[in-house]
PDB file of all heavy atoms in Angstrom:
ATOM      1  N   ASN A  27      93.263 116.646 100.264  1.00 76.00           N
ATOM      2  CA  ASN A  27      92.759 115.840 101.380  1.00 76.00           C
ATOM      3  C   ASN A  27      93.017 114.353 101.173  1.00 76.00           C
ATOM      4  O   ASN A  27      92.157 113.521 101.420  1.00 76.00           O
ATOM      5  CB  ASN A  27      91.271 116.092 101.611  1.00 76.00           C
ATOM      6  CG  ASN A  27      91.006 117.465 102.128  1.00 76.00           C
ATOM      7  OD1 ASN A  27      91.763 117.979 102.938  1.00 76.00           O
ATOM      8  ND2 ASN A  27      89.946 118.086 101.650  1.00 76.00           N
ATOM      9  N   VAL A  28      94.192 114.025 100.707  1.00 80.00           N
ATOM     10  CA  VAL A  28      94.545 112.633 100.452  1.00 80.00           C
ATOM     11  C   VAL A  28      94.467 111.818 101.736  1.00 80.00           C
ATOM     12  O   VAL A  28      93.930 110.711 101.746  1.00 80.00           O
ATOM     13  CB  VAL A  28      95.955 112.545  99.817  1.00 80.00           C
ATOM     14  CG1 VAL A  28      96.414 111.114  99.708  1.00 80.00           C
ATOM     15  CG2 VAL A  28      95.950 113.199  98.459  1.00 80.00           C
ATOM     16  N   GLY A  29      94.967 112.364 102.812  1.00 80.00           N
ATOM     17  CA  GLY A  29      94.916 111.646 104.086  1.00 80.00           C
ATOM     18  C   GLY A  29      93.499 111.399 104.556  1.00 80.00           C
ATOM     19  O   GLY A  29      93.200 110.358 105.136  1.00 80.00           O
ATOM     20  N   LEU A  30      92.625 112.340 104.295  1.00 81.00           N
ATOM     21  CA  LEU A  30      91.226 112.169 104.662  1.00 81.00           C
ATOM     22  C   LEU A  30      90.601 111.012 103.889  1.00 81.00           C
ATOM     23  O   LEU A  30      89.908 110.171 104.463  1.00 81.00           O
ATOM     24  CB  LEU A  30      90.450 113.457 104.391  1.00 81.00           C
ATOM     25  CG  LEU A  30      88.940 113.401 104.617  1.00 81.00           C
ATOM     26  CD1 LEU A  30      88.653 113.195 106.097  1.00 81.00           C
ATOM     27  CD2 LEU A  30      88.285 114.661 104.099  1.00 81.00           C
ATOM     28  N   HIS A  31      90.853 110.926 102.603  1.00 84.00           N
ATOM     29  CA  HIS A  31      90.310 109.842 101.793  1.00 84.00           C
ATOM     30  C   HIS A  31      90.889 108.500 102.223  1.00 84.00           C
ATOM     31  O   HIS A  31      90.180 107.493 102.252  1.00 84.00           O
ATOM     32  CB  HIS A  31      90.584 110.090 100.314  1.00 84.00           C
ATOM     33  CG  HIS A  31      89.744 111.192  99.755  1.00 84.00           C
ATOM     34  ND1 HIS A  31      88.487 110.976  99.259  1.00 84.00           N
ATOM     35  CD2 HIS A  31      89.960 112.510  99.637  1.00 84.00           C
ATOM     36  CE1 HIS A  31      87.981 112.116  98.843  1.00 84.00           C
ATOM     37  NE2 HIS A  31      88.863 113.073  99.081  1.00 84.00           N
ATOM     38  N   TYR A  32      92.158 108.467 102.553  1.00 89.00           N
ATOM     39  CA  TYR A  32      92.805 107.254 103.037  1.00 89.00           C
ATOM     40  C   TYR A  32      92.139 106.789 104.338  1.00 89.00           C
ATOM     41  O   TYR A  32      91.763 105.629 104.475  1.00 89.00           O
ATOM     42  CB  TYR A  32      94.293 107.512 103.256  1.00 89.00           C
ATOM     43  CG  TYR A  32      95.056 106.328 103.788  1.00 89.00           C
ATOM     44  CD1 TYR A  32      95.590 105.398 102.918  1.00 89.00           C
ATOM     45  CD2 TYR A  32      95.247 106.150 105.156  1.00 89.00           C
ATOM     46  CE1 TYR A  32      96.297 104.309 103.392  1.00 89.00           C
ATOM     47  CE2 TYR A  32      95.942 105.070 105.637  1.00 89.00           C
ATOM     48  CZ  TYR A  32      96.469 104.150 104.755  1.00 89.00           C
ATOM     49  OH  TYR A  32      97.162 103.068 105.233  1.00 89.00           O
ATOM     50  N   ALA A  33      91.985 107.705 105.272  1.00 88.00           N
ATOM     51  CA  ALA A  33      91.421 107.361 106.577  1.00 88.00           C
ATOM     52  C   ALA A  33      89.954 106.950 106.477  1.00 88.00           C
ATOM     53  O   ALA A  33      89.529 105.996 107.132  1.00 88.00           O
ATOM     54  CB  ALA A  33      91.572 108.535 107.541  1.00 88.00           C
ATOM     55  N   LEU A  34      89.175 107.655 105.671  1.00 87.00           N
ATOM     56  CA  LEU A  34      87.758 107.302 105.532  1.00 87.00           C
ATOM     57  C   LEU A  34      87.580 105.908 104.943  1.00 87.00           C
ATOM     58  O   LEU A  34      86.733 105.136 105.404  1.00 87.00           O
ATOM     59  CB  LEU A  34      87.031 108.333 104.673  1.00 87.00           C
ATOM     60  CG  LEU A  34      86.743 109.672 105.322  1.00 87.00           C
ATOM     61  CD1 LEU A  34      86.112 110.620 104.314  1.00 87.00           C
ATOM     62  CD2 LEU A  34      85.829 109.497 106.517  1.00 87.00           C
ATOM     63  N   ALA A  35      88.362 105.582 103.930  1.00 91.00           N
ATOM     64  CA  ALA A  35      88.274 104.248 103.331  1.00 91.00           C
ATOM     65  C   ALA A  35      88.693 103.183 104.346  1.00 91.00           C
ATOM     66  O   ALA A  35      88.051 102.135 104.453  1.00 91.00           O
ATOM     67  CB  ALA A  35      89.133 104.168 102.080  1.00 91.00           C
ATOM     68  N   TYR A  36      89.744 103.455 105.085  1.00 94.00           N
ATOM     69  CA  TYR A  36      90.225 102.505 106.086  1.00 94.00           C
ATOM     70  C   TYR A  36      89.159 102.254 107.155  1.00 94.00           C
ATOM     71  O   TYR A  36      88.835 101.113 107.476  1.00 94.00           O
ATOM     72  CB  TYR A  36      91.510 103.030 106.730  1.00 94.00           C
ATOM     73  CG  TYR A  36      92.081 102.101 107.758  1.00 94.00           C
ATOM     74  CD1 TYR A  36      93.005 101.146 107.384  1.00 94.00           C
ATOM     75  CD2 TYR A  36      91.697 102.166 109.092  1.00 94.00           C
ATOM     76  CE1 TYR A  36      93.535 100.271 108.320  1.00 94.00           C
ATOM     77  CE2 TYR A  36      92.211 101.302 110.027  1.00 94.00           C
ATOM     78  CZ  TYR A  36      93.135 100.355 109.638  1.00 94.00           C
ATOM     79  OH  TYR A  36      93.647  99.491 110.556  1.00 94.00           O
ATOM     80  N   ILE A  37      88.604 103.318 107.682  1.00 92.00           N
ATOM     81  CA  ILE A  37      87.618 103.195 108.757  1.00 92.00           C
ATOM     82  C   ILE A  37      86.332 102.551 108.255  1.00 92.00           C
ATOM     83  O   ILE A  37      85.764 101.670 108.916  1.00 92.00           O
ATOM     84  CB  ILE A  37      87.340 104.564 109.396  1.00 92.00           C
ATOM     85  CG1 ILE A  37      88.581 105.046 110.146  1.00 92.00           C
ATOM     86  CG2 ILE A  37      86.142 104.515 110.328  1.00 92.00           C
ATOM     87  CD1 ILE A  37      88.532 106.503 110.558  1.00 92.00           C
ATOM     88  N   ALA A  38      85.871 102.955 107.079  1.00 93.00           N
ATOM     89  CA  ALA A  38      84.630 102.386 106.537  1.00 93.00           C
ATOM     90  C   ALA A  38      84.775 100.889 106.306  1.00 93.00           C
ATOM     91  O   ALA A  38      83.872 100.109 106.626  1.00 93.00           O
ATOM     92  CB  ALA A  38      84.258 103.091 105.239  1.00 93.00           C
ATOM     93  N   TYR A  39      85.903 100.458 105.764  1.00 95.00           N
ATOM     94  CA  TYR A  39      86.112  99.018 105.555  1.00 95.00           C
ATOM     95  C   TYR A  39      86.221  98.300 106.884  1.00 95.00           C
ATOM     96  O   TYR A  39      85.630  97.241 107.072  1.00 95.00           O
ATOM     97  CB  TYR A  39      87.369  98.763 104.718  1.00 95.00           C
ATOM     98  CG  TYR A  39      87.640  97.292 104.543  1.00 95.00           C
ATOM     99  CD1 TYR A  39      86.990  96.581 103.538  1.00 95.00           C
ATOM    100  CD2 TYR A  39      88.503  96.603 105.379  1.00 95.00           C
ATOM    101  CE1 TYR A  39      87.208  95.226 103.385  1.00 95.00           C
ATOM    102  CE2 TYR A  39      88.725  95.257 105.230  1.00 95.00           C
ATOM    103  CZ  TYR A  39      88.076  94.565 104.234  1.00 95.00           C
ATOM    104  OH  TYR A  39      88.287  93.221 104.090  1.00 95.00           O
ATOM    105  N   ASP A  40      86.977  98.855 107.804  1.00 93.00           N
ATOM    106  CA  ASP A  40      87.198  98.216 109.097  1.00 93.00           C
ATOM    107  C   ASP A  40      85.891  98.001 109.850  1.00 93.00           C
ATOM    108  O   ASP A  40      85.695  96.968 110.481  1.00 93.00           O
ATOM    109  CB  ASP A  40      88.164  99.060 109.926  1.00 93.00           C
ATOM    110  CG  ASP A  40      88.816  98.273 111.031  1.00 93.00           C
ATOM    111  OD1 ASP A  40      89.141  97.094 110.797  1.00 93.00           O
ATOM    112  OD2 ASP A  40      89.011  98.841 112.118  1.00 93.00           O
ATOM    113  N   VAL A  41      84.983  98.953 109.764  1.00 94.00           N
ATOM    114  CA  VAL A  41      83.703  98.836 110.454  1.00 94.00           C
ATOM    115  C   VAL A  41      82.774  97.872 109.719  1.00 94.00           C
ATOM    116  O   VAL A  41      82.123  97.018 110.330  1.00 94.00           O
ATOM    117  CB  VAL A  41      83.038 100.232 110.603  1.00 94.00           C
ATOM    118  CG1 VAL A  41      81.606 100.113 111.061  1.00 94.00           C
ATOM    119  CG2 VAL A  41      83.841 101.082 111.568  1.00 94.00           C
TER     120      VAL A  41
END
Side-chain angles (χ1 to χ4, degrees):
N27 292 322
V28 173
L30 175 66
H31 288 273
Y32 179 88
L34 286 176
Y36 181 91
I37 292 167
Y39 177 84
D40 200 38
V41 169

